[in-house]
Amino acid sequence: MLNKQYTSMLQEKDVIFEIFQYATERAKVVGAENIYDFSLGNPSVPAPSIVNETIVQKVNTLDPLALHGYSPSFGIMETREKIAVFLNKKYGSSYKASNIFMAIGAAGALAHAFRAVTNPGDEIITFAPCFSEYKPYTAGAGLKLTIIPADIDTFQINFAAFEAQLNENTTAVLINSPNNPSGIVYSTETIKKLADILTEKSKEFGHPIYLISDEPYRDIIFEGVDAPYVANYYKNTLTCYSFSKSISLPGERIGYLAVHPDCIEANKIIEICPQISRTIGQNGAASLMQRTVADVCNYTSDLSVYETNKINTL
Amino acid sequence: MLNKQYTSMLQEKDVIFEIFQYATERAKVVGAENIYDFSLGNPSVPAPSIVNETIVQKVNTLDPLALHGYSPSFGIMETREKIAVFLNKKYGSSYKASNIFMAIGAAGALAHAFRAVTNPGDEIITFAPCFSEYKPYTAGAGLKLTIIPADIDTFQINFAAFEAQLNENTTAVLINSPNNPSGIVYSTETIKKLADILTEKSKEFGHPIYLISDEPYRDIIFEGVDAPYVANYYKNTLTCYSFSKSISLPGERIGYLAVHPDCIEANKIIEICPQISRTIGQNGAASLMQRTVADVCNYTSDLSVYETNKINTL
């Protein structure tokens, strides 16, 4: 018999993908230039030319057996090393390669983060407005997702509602800053207050409350905006990143999970990630893309375009 | 708290990947030329040159926004169309593009197949000897995996034991031919008998027993071996394929699920696949690879090398 859960999900399909599918179909009829598709966060600026140059260089110079062969479950070591070095230089963090797990986009990274630090039946808390896919993402890990109502004045965190909700069954909190869909960036003050509460409540409940920070939009920060690197303020942070927006590669499904080196059970969290992969049909990110991002992780697309767009629409 | 299930899995890690990791580490010390790594099915022949030529051509000629942008959840339509045409020409089947779902390797295809046609608690039956990863793969879908003992004379199916095991709770049967690890190919006679039993038992139990056919080694068939295309003999077949072995791209994580056009609920099975993706951290296969295999799905690596290897070891 067809699966009941997934069949019932057809009644509440992902509205984002529905619109995207429709736009794709319509583009064939009326021409792509006549479609303004605001569904997915598909970049409007191309990947920097170094990305395609790097792909071609890898393909033309590496042994194809090594290039296209299976990569280690944790990801290619050179890629993990380069990402750790890049993060440490940019944010003053102290990641080692062993803190980085390569994943198929932020969706893949989140799937591992959710499953690593929670058990089925646990509660995970996030904040409105939030990415609509968090519901199926967390449901797949057997979690109860609680969405805290928005602070509609600032779209920072509604701390009163958050503190009232936190309970012994809460084992993880999920944030997304810069936020999809609001565009808001959580301030240093917000992150510090969040960290203080999580530290206090972890102590009170006798178990760590892990912070899962979903950061695909991390590099799209407009001038003058206070945009702290979340993990620097709370050690029990699992940072989920994708190269989708920073270098405009959403279709290539490449990202990573970075576990703070001082996180409780940091090594074990990474160690169990390949075990998680085995149960959810994953087996590493595409090797050519892993090797490519190793070389270009310090580049971005011309992200200034997004700021210009914002100014022009104000 | 760290996840109990995944933490306990560390005690029974995937032995294949353990050996692969060890071999990778040792290669750094003693040189790759001194390592004979029989762990993973990593190809020993490179991808045909057309693969890398196609990658370079796509990168150099396509609009990067389209090339690297999000692809539809089902996969890129042109790729699905070309795969259907290729299969129909090679096997006399009648797939439409709408019967093909693009996935991240056979592991991704299997993850969708298991979840589409079963419900948690169902029994899935496979046959010894089998790929060691079937246990975590099926456990992740909440299934009870029963492994039928081998017919140690022929390594075809032990039908007596199989028929004795089939019961109302069995909703899927999983086969892998050519088989990893035995190398055996199920004969036309075996597949016909299997199909007859499944048809009869589906009628008796009042629900279809779906056949999930895991076929990453489909193109490695030595001369004179009877190697039927499984789905041609049983309409309720979900075929899981990977380009890992045929064109030596295991690290690129590219494959597909093909549902027989006359399969019961064929359209709905494909329709729910993106719903499954949403719960297991997947969001389509890498777009560059999808576009590449569209053009090269009718090529193979020089697979004759494997036959020569076999002869030389006899």
Side-chain angles (χ1 to χ4, degrees), chain A residues 52 68 115 251-252 278-279, chain B residues 68 115 133 251-252 278-279:
Chain A
N52 280 350
H68 300 303
R115 285 164 177 80
E252 306 300 354
R278 298 168 75 192
T279 66
Chain B
H68 300 303
R115 286 165 177 80
E133 289 302 277
E252 304 301 353
R278 298 168 74 192
T279 66

Side-chain angles (χ1 to χ4, degrees), chain B residues 191-233:
Chain B
I191 297 300
K192 276 186 174 169
K193 188 162 177 186
L194 175 64
D196 286 347
I197 294 169
L198 292 178
T199 302
E200 184 195 314
K201 291 292 181 180
S202 295
K203 203 173 291 178
E204 183 184 328
F205 299 144
H207 63 75
I209 301 173
Y210 290 96
L211 180 60
I212 298 175
S213 185
D214 179 23
E215 306 186 1
Y217 292 95
R218 187 170 70 211
D219 299 294
I220 306 180
I221 300 291
F222 301 155
E223 206 184 321
V225 172
D226 172 26
Y229 183 68
V230 173
N232 284 350
Y233 295 84

Side-chain angles (χ1 to χ4, degrees), chain A residues 157-275:
Chain A
I157 289 175
N158 180 340
F159 281 109
F162 174 55
E163 289 196 76
Q165 178 61 35
L166 273 168
N167 64 81
E168 287 205 353
N169 196 36
T170 313
T171 51
V173 168
L174 168 64
I175 61 171
N176 171 222
S177 173
N179 183 265
N180 170 11
S182 77
I184 212 75
V185 184
Y186 288 164
S187 67
T188 303
E189 188 190 341
T190 295
I191 297 300
K192 276 185 173 171
K193 188 162 179 187
L194 176 64
D196 286 347
I197 293 169
L198 293 178
T199 302
E200 185 195 314
K201 291 291 182 179
S202 294
K203 204 173 289 178
E204 183 183 329
F205 298 144
H207 63 76
I209 301 173
Y210 290 95
L211 180 60
I212 298 174
S213 185
D214 179 23
E215 307 186 0
Y217 291 95
R218 187 170 70 210
D219 299 293
I220 306 180
I221 300 290
F222 301 156
E223 205 184 323
V225 172
D226 172 26
Y229 183 67
V230 173
N232 284 351
Y233 295 85
Y234 186 66
K235 66 175 186 167
N236 292 328
T237 298
L238 286 70
T239 304
C240 297
Y241 186 76
S242 163
F243 292 94
S244 297
K245 324 296 174 186
S246 62
I247 50 173
S248 307
L249 297 180
E252 306 300 354
R253 315 309 304 137
I254 181 77
Y256 58 81
L257 167 65
V259 179
H260 191 294
D262 299 326
C263 178
I264 293 175
E265 303 257 41
N267 291 342
K268 190 152 272 183
I269 290 170
I270 293 288
E271 204 186 343
I272 64 177
C273 279
Q275 306 305 319

